[in-house]
Amino acid sequence: KSELVDALVAARKEGKTPVVNGDDGANSPSSGTASSGTNTSASSSGSSSNANRQERLNQEMEKCKSMKVGELKTELESYGVSTKSFFEKSELVDALVAARKEG
């Protein structure tokens, strides 16, 4: 497990980000919805990109919530964020989501 955490930290330092396949799997069974979603995004790309951004932030928040406190602290420290001022797991989660967002 520690090797996985070390590999994740090293990948993040290199600027690599995880690939999310959840969106593709959700749209593939209903081909009609996928095609209409494509037309909607072409006509209103601004609101679609905001919705996608919010969805990605929500997914990132859920991923961080499922992590252990030690994992949250390790990743935050890899971004150069001190974890000494955080007392609640929710504070660590919020800080990590912000750190990932900023890069």
Side-chain angles (χ1 to χ4, degrees):
K1 185 174 178 178
S2 64
E3 293 174 355
L4 180 60
V5 172
D6 293 341
L8 175 67
V9 170
R12 293 285 163 82
K13 284 182 181 178
E14 294 173 8
K16 296 180 181 176
T17 57
V19 177
V20 179
N21 291 332
D23 291 339
D24 295 338
N27 290 336
S28 61
S30 58
S31 61
T33 305
S35 64
S36 66
T38 304
N39 293 339
T40 304
S41 65
S43 62
S44 61
S45 61
S47 63
S48 177
S49 65
N50 287 339
N52 288 336
R53 181 175 183 265
Q54 187 62 39
E55 184 177 329
R56 286 193 312 265
L57 287 174
N58 290 339
Q59 288 175 351
E60 200 68 32
M61 182 71 77
E62 290 303 315
K63 287 179 191 176
C64 291
K65 285 180 182 178
S66 68
M67 294 172 70
K68 294 180 180 179
V69 170
E71 295 170 333
L72 292 167
K73 286 183 177 183
T74 300
E75 189 169 342
L76 278 168
E77 289 168 357
S78 75
Y79 285 114
V81 177
S82 174
T83 60
K84 294 180 181 180
S85 64
F86 301 118
F87 296 103
E88 299 288 328
K89 181 178 178 180
S90 61
E91 295 173 325
L92 291 166
V93 168
D94 292 341
L96 183 55
V97 170
R100 285 181 175 180
K101 181 179 164 185
E102 292 175 6

